[in-house]
Amino acid sequence: MKRILVGAMFAGLLALGWNWSSEAAEMVSGQGPYKFRVLYTSSILPAKAQEVLEKAHGGFAVDRRAGKGETFFALPGAGILRIGADLKTVELLDTDASMRDTNLHNSTLWFDRAGKGFLVFPGNQSNRVYTTTMDGKLLDTIEPPTDKVKFAEPKVATYFREGGPFVPTDVEYLDGTYYIATGYSKLDYVLMARVMGTSPFRTSWTRKAFGGKGEGVGQFGTGHGITVPPGKKRIDVADRPNAEIDRFTPAGKYIDTVKTPPGSFPCDIDYEGRFGVIGSLNHPDKTKGAPVYLLEGDKIVSTILPKEELGLEKFMHIHNATMRTIDGKIYLIVQAWNPGDFAILEQVTN
């Protein structure tokens, strides 16, 4: 009860124009050794990003190579942003207008055999997938499939033949293949495109697809986010309305499912070491702000409530979360949706 009253009081102070302060930084959320406080709010973002932040509807990609640590995301009307490895700075990258002025629904970073890095973004409004350099230079645009793509799955072939829209919600890369979720459409299959080369950059649709909208094993209510766990050859898809993470082989064969609390609507999952982090669109109790779930293995070990317990009033819905581990301490980078907001949370240690 005390925590609820403190949160309500803090929200009231924010409404009166009170500034973020050391008192607010003492508010914590989470359980056991995995409690978090607010380290940075959206005030750390460049002015142009702050102007369009309420439109935030995307996700993060982290450079997890040793000695690196930059994090990338995008905001419609601003473009691609890069968070410094020390989390203290956020830089707005020069972004091609075709990407800058549309919504990029998530972000993925991958590296070729030579160690060259590429960012890939699903344009859910523009119906395209974009690949850039790590500095934001546009290299490739995947257009919607046409009748020339002879999909092996009849439902997919019929869908595009009849003019169904290509609405990518997330993209992952594994062994030369893009895996593209399409959960914002009636299709809801994971499609595959082949990266044919990187100099010049070339992609081509394949005939393969898996999943599909439905209630059966390996099908989705909304296949929203898609993740390849580091060091694994596995495709994890966040099935939002069914509150689960479905796992597949690279060929699209169903493996198993990790459940999240009913009604939580997991948007995506991100992994680092033995931990996973899930940003949820809803709290199971719809009157409360959405949680971030921290998992160790496949078990939830901490539930963080940015709105209810950290005073971040715009975090009624969470669209994405990622994590960094710096000097043994966990940091969560979190994005709210409708209205959009941004925060970095820091693990509280004794």
Side-chain angles (χ1 to χ4, degrees), residues 310-345:
L310 297 179
L312 296 172
E313 281 300 301
K314 292 183 179 179
F315 277 75
M316 187 66 187
H317 306 288
I318 295 173
H319 194 261
N320 209 284
T322 192
M323 65 181 293
R324 293 278 319 285
T325 303
I326 303 174
D327 296 331
K329 184 184 289 188
I330 299 172
Y331 296 82
L332 303 178
I333 306 172
V334 190
Q335 185 181 116
W337 170 79
N338 195 27
D341 203 356
F342 171 92
I344 299 178
L345 310 182

Side-chain angles (χ1 to χ4, degrees), residues 122-140:
N124 63 297
Q125 295 173 338
S126 64
N127 312 111
R128 284 158 175 77
V129 172
Y130 306 96
T131 301
T132 76
T133 66
M134 291 181 68
D135 290 324
K137 180 182 177 182
L138 181 61
L139 298 174
D140 182 75

Side-chain angles (χ1 to χ4, degrees), residues 28-93:
V28 299
S29 183
Q31 294 78 46
Y34 306 117
K35 296 184 175 74
F36 293 82
R37 69 177 184 91
V38 175
L39 179 64
Y40 297 117
T41 66
S42 61
S43 62
I44 195 175
L45 298 177
K48 182 60 178 177
Q50 293 186 45
E51 290 175 8
V52 300
L53 183 58
E54 287 202 349
K55 299 179 182 178
H57 190 195
F60 305 102
V62 179
D63 186 350
R64 290 195 165 92
R65 294 176 297 170
K68 303 297 181 180
E70 291 84 1
T71 301
F72 300 83
F73 68 110
L75 292 172
I80 303 169
L81 294 110
R82 179 168 56 204
I83 306 171
D86 61 3
L87 303 177
K88 295 179 180 179
T89 60
V90 184
E91 176 187 6
L92 184 60
L93 304 183

Side-chain angles (χ1 to χ4, degrees), residues 171-193:
V171 186
E172 261 293 357
Y173 173 89
L174 179 64
D175 293 341
T177 298
Y178 280 159
Y179 293 81
I180 306 170
T182 61
Y184 280 179
S185 68
K186 293 180 180 180
L187 181 66
D188 217 349
Y189 272 80
V190 174
L191 307 180
M192 302 183 201

Side-chain angles (χ1 to χ4, degrees), residues 152-214:
E153 171 56 57
K155 290 183 179 179
V156 179
T158 299
Y159 176 86
F160 286 114
R161 185 173 61 250
E162 294 179 350
F166 169 57
V167 189
T169 55
D170 201 1
V171 186
E172 261 293 357
Y173 173 89
L174 179 64
D175 293 341
T177 298
Y178 280 159
Y179 293 81
I180 306 170
T182 61
Y184 280 179
S185 68
K186 293 180 180 180
L187 181 66
D188 217 349
Y189 272 80
V190 174
L191 307 180
M192 302 183 201
R194 193 72 182 167
V195 177
M196 308 298 291
T198 60
S199 184
F201 203 98
R202 296 175 293 115
T203 53
S204 177
W205 285 110
T206 76
R207 301 177 65 244
K208 300 176 182 179
F210 65 87
K213 195 171 290 293

Side-chain angles (χ1 to χ4, degrees), residues 141-154:
T141 301
I142 299 179
E143 304 285 340
T146 67
D147 285 346
K148 294 181 180 180
V149 183
K150 305 301 181 184
F151 288 103
E153 171 56 57

